[in-house]
Amino acid sequence: MALVTIDSLRGPYDAIVIGSGAGGGQAAYTLTMDGARVLLLEAGRNYDPRTETPMFNTAEQAPLRGSATPDKNFGFYDATVDGGWSVPGEPYTNAEGAEERQFKWWRARMLGGRTNHWGRISLRNGPYDFRPRGRDGLGFDWPISYEDVAPYYDKVEMLIGVHGTHEGMENTPDSPEGILLPPPKARIGELLARQRGRGIGVPVIPVHRAVLTRPLDWVSLPARLHPGNPKAQRILAEDMQNRAACFWATDCGRGCAIRANYQSTTVHLPPAMATGNLDILAHAMAREITVDPLSGKATGVAFIDKVSGMEHRVGARVVILAASAAETARILLNSKSRLFPSGLGNSSGLVGKYIMDTVGADVGGQIPLLENQPPHNEDGAGGLHVYTPWWLYKEQAAGKLGFPRGYHVEFGGGRSMPVGFMRDFVEPEGRVGYGARLKEDARRYYGSFFGFTGRGEMIPNEDCYCELDPKVVDTWGIPVLRFHWKWSEHELRQVAHMQRTFSDWISAMGGTCEPLEKEPLRAIRQGGSIIHEVGGALMGDKPSQSVTNCWSQTWDSKNVFIADGAVFPSNADKNPTLTIMALAWRTADRILDQMRKGNL
Amino acid sequence: MSTPVPARIDRRVAIKWMLSAGAGALVVGLPRLGAGAAPAQGPAPAGYGVDPQLLAPHQAGDYWPLTFTDALRRQAAALCDIILPADEHSPSASAVGVVDFIDEWVSAPYPACAADAKVVLAGFIWLDAESVKRFGAPFADASAAQKLALCEVMAPEAPAGSPLGEASAFFRRFRNLTATGFYTTPVGMKDLGYVGNVPLARFDGPPADLVEKLGLTGEVAW
């Protein structure tokens, strides 16, 4: 995509969007398709998945067979460039030294942000997920309900393309008819897990993922998404025709050159650019939102041009933060002014508070029934095809589980392409296998490993927050975040339940489970490592108890909005990306409405 | 829990490789990084960097110099080919570039590779010394039976700190590197029965006879 430069900025803009991932991409899309002029600031470089994705490259063609390294944390071919658990020149700190008290912060510095490598799992929050406190007295309720967000889930699913089915399961919403794309067929291990899961009372259904299992319906969807807007319809119809259906090869984490899966760079930004209303500026590191000292309204954004190191300012009627939950909190905390001495949006003192990740734990095993399969292609849609939504609502309500909130289960394993370091061996007892026998064993056991991954709801707590580090600054002198983290008993008990369930499940499949980690603080994945970072600027009903209102509009400054996961008052087990997009669309619609009414 | 076959699966062992195609499960395979330490503040020096060229096929030695001497290459090739010898399905490990890969690995500037390099290089020294002591020739020049005898010394698991602890750890690590190098090549993938990485018009799921054999026909619901 052709981007603008500092010299070709056309400010002031109707809106500046900070961050180009799921939330920023969606906000920019919605605003520009409806005629608003938008500047999108991206802290990383331009990135074009059509020309940069290593679609069919094999491990042999990569350094170290594609293994994860400190440079490429998810392996050489992962789509993420210039990002990861550490970003050069952009440190962050943790207040505590112990691993279980630290937050790991994954950041992308590239156009499209983290959407270029995400898992594409696209689950709706259910009705319960918007009022968790009302159900069990813990955490916070949302100021909005499922019914408020449902129309936007519909829109996002139509736009990005999501496959799945309607199963009618509790708190696992179906989509209206005619929106979801057909599910891919289950793989052999997934079928076995489904059959044997039934015996231990665990259901398995098709997952919802943002992958085109057939071309999008470019004839009817544009009119449903943009009624009364022929220009938007024409642009979207043309763009949808340029997205190919999945050809059932290559891992989605590499990105997708044929645009068969959702990335901000494959779905949101191309049509937004085609409107002529979107300017994208790369290498632009937002430092603070500038504020009018009398009205308290935002005037624009001060940012660093990373290429020159110079600071620039650009003006807009509205500023939308979508920098990722923690980075959004950082920008707000760094936006200090006479009116807002502790940071913009922080009159409640709540910016940075209640950050959340997803509870994660994994258990794998080896399944003799899956040995010696005839060679067949299991690449599929580049990710899992089935999953288990949380299924124990009644047992939980009856007080039988000993922990609140649920988890869903993702599956992995099978005959995937060997990439990275290979450690899958079933050893002869007490020996390191080698020789002709090792080759025979490799053929026998390939495809017989299967793993369960729990993804559960964490309850926000007082010990998980970020603040500005009093001493450390980044390369450009901007104060960095210091994290605080502590799991509560709720999460640790949930992880123990995951382990028991997965161990039982592997046994039910006739398999041998890996030894279980007995210490829950070791079994739970480190805070932040699931990369479902949300919270830090929660939405709510009252200015004293939240950072934004139900429109993700800051209480402090009415023309500052948040379009990423920072506003989530809770973090349901459902992966947050779809909800981020739905809320971003809803917020952008609100901004358009308020602009038309002259309120912004 | 029943254990139908003698099996030993290390914690994390079973997870790493098998989930590499599951984008939804991408995070599953990650090693725990930086345990107890402050977050790393930048990439390791002299690696391929955080924005490498992803598309062009890469050759060992492109990013950092290789370090094996000719003698080490011979020794590595000899050991590789005992670990994965040629059979009727596929050639031996050294025939498909595995020595280059191991050289690249132990020469890499990343901490995990540097740790492996210590194990591997110490193991090479031990192996040659043991070979000379027992058979009067370095490992690469020993007879096939002598090489096998030395591998039989290293193959039994030996706890760290025991007399053969380091030799056993070396053998395990070198075996894993050999298998990684081999099964990621086209011939290695073919030997395993991996037949993907090709565009398809349809995804048909598993073969019907396999589904039937496992009694899963009733599970095919969509």
Side-chain angles (χ1 to χ4, degrees):
Chain A
M1 266 169 274
L3 309 191
V4 296
T5 64
I6 297 282
D7 298 326
S8 57
L9 290 177
R10 300 178 292 170
Y13 291 87
D14 291 325
I16 296 171
V17 177
I18 301 172
S20 62
Q26 182 64 64
Y29 171 91
T30 302
L31 292 170
T32 56
M33 291 293 260
D34 237 333
R37 293 179 59 255
V38 173
L39 173 65
L40 184 61
L41 297 177
E42 167 51 51
R45 72 163 172 87
N46 191 10
Y47 171 75
D48 187 347
R50 289 170 300 185
T51 57
E52 298 194 53
T53 308
M55 293 296 277
F56 290 100
N57 293 49
T58 62
E60 192 191 31
Q61 297 167 332
L64 306 175
R65 297 305 205 247
S67 298
T69 68
D71 281 329
K72 292 280 286 184
N73 303 159
F74 280 67
F76 189 75
Y77 288 131
D78 178 57
T80 306
V81 296
D82 287 339
W85 299 120
S86 64
V87 174
E90 302 185 38
Y92 64 91
T93 65
N94 269 287
E96 302 282 339
E99 185 183 353
E100 68 266 21
R101 297 296 305 276
Q102 297 198 346
F103 182 82
K104 282 176 78 174
W105 195 17
W106 176 273
R107 290 169 291 174
R109 290 287 181 263
M110 62 193 299
L111 192 65
R114 302 191 289 210
T115 66
N116 293 305
H117 101 141
W118 72 305
R120 275 80 182 178
I121 297 175
S122 302
L123 308 176
R124 295 180 177 214
N125 278 8
Y128 302 168
D129 301 320
F130 291 93
R131 49 183 188 91
R133 186 180 182 85
R135 286 174 50 78
D136 60 23
L138 298 168
F140 307 103
D141 285 337
W142 296 54
I144 51 178
S145 68
Y146 177 73
E147 288 67 34
D148 293 317
V149 186
Y152 291 97
Y153 281 134
D154 297 351
K155 286 175 191 248
V156 171
E157 288 173 352
M158 284 190 270
L159 175 68
I160 70 177
V162 175
H163 66 68
T165 54
H166 307 123
E167 302 290 330
M169 291 185 63
E170 186 171 10
N171 199 38
T172 303
D174 293 337
S175 303
E177 288 295 329
I179 289 182
L180 296 178
L181 303 169
K185 291 192 165 57
R187 303 177 179 94
I188 192 74
E190 295 173 327
L191 292 174
L192 184 65
R194 183 167 190 256
Q195 181 190 59
R196 302 305 170 91
R198 195 174 297 116
I200 58 169
V202 187
V204 173
I205 63 173
V207 73
H208 292 210
R209 286 183 76 239
V211 174
L212 304 188
T213 50
R214 69 173 180 219
L216 285 170
D217 177 5
W218 58 270
V219 176
S220 68
L221 288 176
R224 291 173 73 183
L225 288 171
H226 300 287
N229 185 343
K231 180 185 173 185
Q233 292 176 23
R234 176 177 54 74
I235 288 170
L236 183 58
E238 189 174 323
D239 199 71
M240 282 182 165
Q241 291 174 76
N242 290 329
R243 293 187 62 199
C246 181
F247 54 32
W248 314 105
T250 84
D251 181 347
C252 290
R254 299 179 179 206
C256 193
I258 63 170
R259 302 172 62 193
N261 64 28
Y262 168 80
Q263 306 167 222
S264 176
T265 42
T266 58
V267 176
H268 282 138
L269 299 181
M273 288 291 279
T275 64
N277 296 325
L278 179 63
D279 284 352
I280 301 176
L281 185 66
H283 302 294
M285 179 79 187
R287 183 171 64 78
E288 70 171 287
I289 296 169
T290 53
V291 174
D292 180 90
L294 295 176
S295 69
K297 283 179 68 178
T299 56
V301 177
F303 66 91
I304 312 293
D305 170 25
K306 286 180 166 178
V307 178
S308 68
M310 300 292 287
E311 179 167 318
H312 298 266
R313 287 169 187 242
V314 59
R317 291 166 69 187
V318 168
V319 175
I320 301 168
L321 285 155
S324 87
E327 188 73 37
T328 283
R330 180 188 178 200
I331 293 168
L332 288 170
L333 291 170
N334 274 317
S335 300
K336 291 177 178 168
S337 61
R338 190 179 54 78
L339 277 177
F340 307 115
S342 63
L344 179 61
N346 199 26
S347 296
S348 60
L350 292 174
V351 171
K353 301 296 194 295
Y354 306 113
I355 54 172
M356 291 161 267
D357 189 27
T358 287
V359 180
D362 327 299
V363 176
Q366 194 272 333
I367 316 288
L369 277 171
L370 298 176
E371 292 172 12
N372 289 317
Q373 294 169 33
H376 65 281
N377 186 334
E378 284 203 320
D379 286 358
L384 71 170
H385 290 181
V386 299
Y387 86 122
T388 295
W390 177 238
W391 70 104
L392 294 171
Y393 289 101
K394 287 178 181 60
E395 290 78 358
Q396 197 159 50
K400 291 180 182 168
L401 298 187
F403 62 92
R405 314 291 171 86
Y407 59 89
H408 73 258
V409 190
E410 301 174 8
F411 304 162
R415 310 179 68 82
S416 57
M417 183 161 80
V419 175
F421 194 73
M422 179 174 178
R423 294 186 293 191
D424 271 348
F425 302 102
V426 178
E427 307 284 19
E429 194 66 57
R431 288 168 53 86
V432 179
Y434 71 98
R437 168 78 188 274
L438 177 59
K439 275 188 157 178
E440 289 163 21
D441 282 350
R443 287 186 278 270
R444 170 180 167 186
Y445 293 119
Y446 174 62
S448 73
F449 295 89
F450 202 81
F452 296 100
T453 292
R455 291 287 178 260
E457 177 164 359
M458 170 192 174
I459 295 169
N461 70 57
E462 305 289 332
D463 295 316
C464 295
Y465 64 99
C466 58
E467 61 189 343
L468 293 181
D469 189 294
K471 295 187 186 128
V472 182
V473 297
D474 66 14
T475 297
W476 303 281
I478 308 171
V480 309
L481 287 179
R482 179 169 68 182
F483 289 94
H484 300 253
W485 192 265
K486 190 178 179 187
W487 294 112
S488 78
E489 279 299 309
H490 303 312
E491 290 81 34
L492 299 180
R493 287 198 210 110
Q494 187 186 68
V495 158
H497 190 274
M498 289 179 186
Q499 289 181 299
R500 284 195 301 276
T501 302
F502 302 162
S503 166
D504 289 348
W505 207 340
I506 288 166
S507 296
M509 292 168 76
T512 305
C513 192
E514 65 179 330
L516 297 181
E517 170 62 55
K518 291 193 173 57
E519 170 54 51
L521 272 173
R522 297 287 305 167
I524 195 169
R525 306 262 315 177
Q526 190 180 350
S529 65
I530 311 301
I531 322 184
H532 289 170
E533 154 204 344
V534 300
L538 272 52
M539 61 162 62
D541 286 324
K542 298 194 183 100
S544 61
Q545 295 172 12
S546 54
V547 176
T548 80
N549 66 14
C550 67
W551 302 103
S552 305
Q553 179 181 31
T554 63
W555 295 110
D556 275 1
S557 191
K558 72 173 189 178
N559 64 341
V560 175
F561 293 80
I562 295 174
D564 59 29
V567 296
F568 281 32
S570 72
N571 191 15
D573 72 84
K574 285 85 168 180
N575 309 41
T577 307
L578 189 75
T579 301
I580 288 173
M581 289 192 263
L583 292 184
W585 197 321
R586 180 172 176 271
T587 291
D589 270 0
R590 173 73 174 182
I591 291 169
L592 289 162
D593 174 67
Q594 294 295 301
M595 279 181 166
R596 282 187 204 107
K597 290 176 176 158
N599 294 335
L600 286 172
Chain B
M1 174 169 50
S2 65
T3 305
V5 290
R8 181 189 174 284
I9 307 173
D10 287 338
R11 167 148 182 82
R12 298 190 297 163
V13 162
I15 302 290
K16 171 68 183 173
W17 174 51
M18 67 185 187
L19 296 183
S20 60
L26 259 175
V27 292
V28 172
L30 281 180
R32 287 171 178 261
L33 296 175
Q41 303 294 311
Y48 50 65
V50 293
D51 190 8
Q53 165 58 249
L54 299 187
L55 297 183
H58 140 96
Q59 304 289 327
D62 280 357
Y63 286 107
W64 47 83
L66 304 180
T67 54
F68 276 178
T69 61
D70 287 347
L72 284 180
R73 285 187 67 85
R74 285 187 65 226
Q75 189 180 7
L79 189 52
C80 273
D81 288 352
I82 299 230
I83 290 170
L84 287 175
D87 66 4
E88 69 273 25
H89 294 277
S90 58
S92 72
S94 75
V96 294
V98 171
V99 174
D100 291 332
F101 159 67
I102 295 175
D103 193 359
E104 176 194 45
W105 186 280
V106 301
S107 307
Y110 301 112
C113 297
D116 286 348
K118 277 189 188 166
V119 173
V120 168
L121 295 175
F124 278 156
I125 290 168
W126 179 90
L127 183 57
D128 259 358
E130 195 69 15
S131 184
V132 167
K133 189 171 87 185
R134 289 181 185 229
F135 307 120
F139 182 76
D141 296 327
S143 71
Q146 291 167 340
K147 286 176 186 151
L148 210 54
L150 286 162
C151 287
E152 281 302 300
V153 171
M154 298 186 287
E157 286 197 8
S162 67
L164 286 170
E166 286 184 30
S168 174
F170 157 68
F171 193 59
R172 173 175 295 282
R173 177 62 23 177
F174 196 88
R175 190 279 312 269
N176 289 359
L177 286 169
T178 302
T180 298
F182 182 79
Y183 287 112
T184 46
T185 63
V187 296
M189 291 194 287
K190 186 170 174 227
D191 190 353
L192 282 180
Y194 174 73
V195 293
N197 205 35
V198 290
L200 302 174
R202 295 193 322 272
F203 179 73
D204 289 332
D209 50 354
L210 176 62
V211 174
E212 192 178 343
K213 181 181 148 201
L214 294 185
L216 297 171
T217 308
E219 300 300 328
V220 183
W222 52 85

